[in-house]
Amino acid sequence: MRYFIIALLGLALLWAELDAKLVRIRRIRRLVGSSERDAQITDYRVSPLDEQGVFKYAFKTSNGIDVQAAGTALETIGIYTYISPEGQTIETRYIADELGFHVVGRHLPQPPPIPDYILRSLEYIRTHTEDGKLKPNVF
């Protein structure tokens, strides 16, 4: 009897998790709307690898998505634009290389400026030793 109750509780937890996933999917579908689901590719261009191993591709869709990229196996640069739910055009530029994925866009949050007292502290650390004496030949 104990195993039956445990199994029943396990099934109830599994059903609750599945139901939560279905609710999230329904919410996303409502937010996206039918125009997004029915989007068509309106332009598609792909260039084969050239002699240096550089690829290029671009495509556009009927719902305002525009993607362009070029690069090699070690470095890729690209740009993509789309229309936000608020109706604004979002443009994102990126570089992916051995140092990581670097993104630039006006819509992305920017860090606040470094306070002046922190900049002065860093300059002091750079120009002085641990005991507070001025380092020789520091420019």
Side-chain angles (χ1 to χ4, degrees):
M1 181 69 173
R2 184 178 341 166
Y3 294 115
F4 177 73
I5 293 174
I6 291 173
L8 199 56
L9 285 173
L11 283 173
L13 288 173
L14 184 65
W15 179 257
E17 186 175 325
L18 181 62
D19 189 51
K21 285 182 182 179
L22 289 173
V23 167
R24 282 194 299 267
I25 290 171
R26 286 187 197 117
R27 284 183 188 155
I28 291 170
R29 285 185 177 161
R30 255 186 277 133
L31 286 172
V32 168
S34 63
S35 66
E36 298 292 319
R37 287 185 293 220
D38 299 333
Q40 300 292 317
I41 295 175
T42 58
D43 186 22
Y44 181 73
R45 290 171 278 139
V46 176
S47 298
L49 291 176
D50 63 12
E51 57 275 354
Q52 285 90 25
V54 175
F55 68 88
K56 296 178 187 175
Y57 71 87
F59 66 88
K60 293 181 182 181
T61 63
S62 60
N63 60 351
I65 296 172
D66 186 1
V67 177
Q68 300 174 30
T72 65
L74 299 177
E75 180 180 69
T76 301
I77 60 171
I79 181 172
Y80 58 88
T81 59
Y82 62 93
I83 308 298
S84 73
E86 295 81 22
Q88 294 179 331
T89 300
I90 304 295
E91 179 178 288
T92 306
R93 296 173 184 268
Y94 65 89
I95 296 176
D97 57 16
E98 68 272 1
L99 299 176
F101 185 72
H102 312 281
V103 184
V104 176
R106 289 184 182 177
H107 64 289
L108 298 173
Q110 299 295 319
I114 299 173
D116 189 48
Y117 64 91
I118 297 294
L119 292 173
R120 286 193 315 267
S121 297
L122 291 172
E123 181 63 18
Y124 182 86
I125 291 169
R126 186 183 72 79
T127 58
H128 291 75
T129 61
E130 287 184 25
D131 58 356
K133 295 181 181 175
L134 192 61
K135 290 180 181 177
N137 301 327
V138 176
F139 297 99

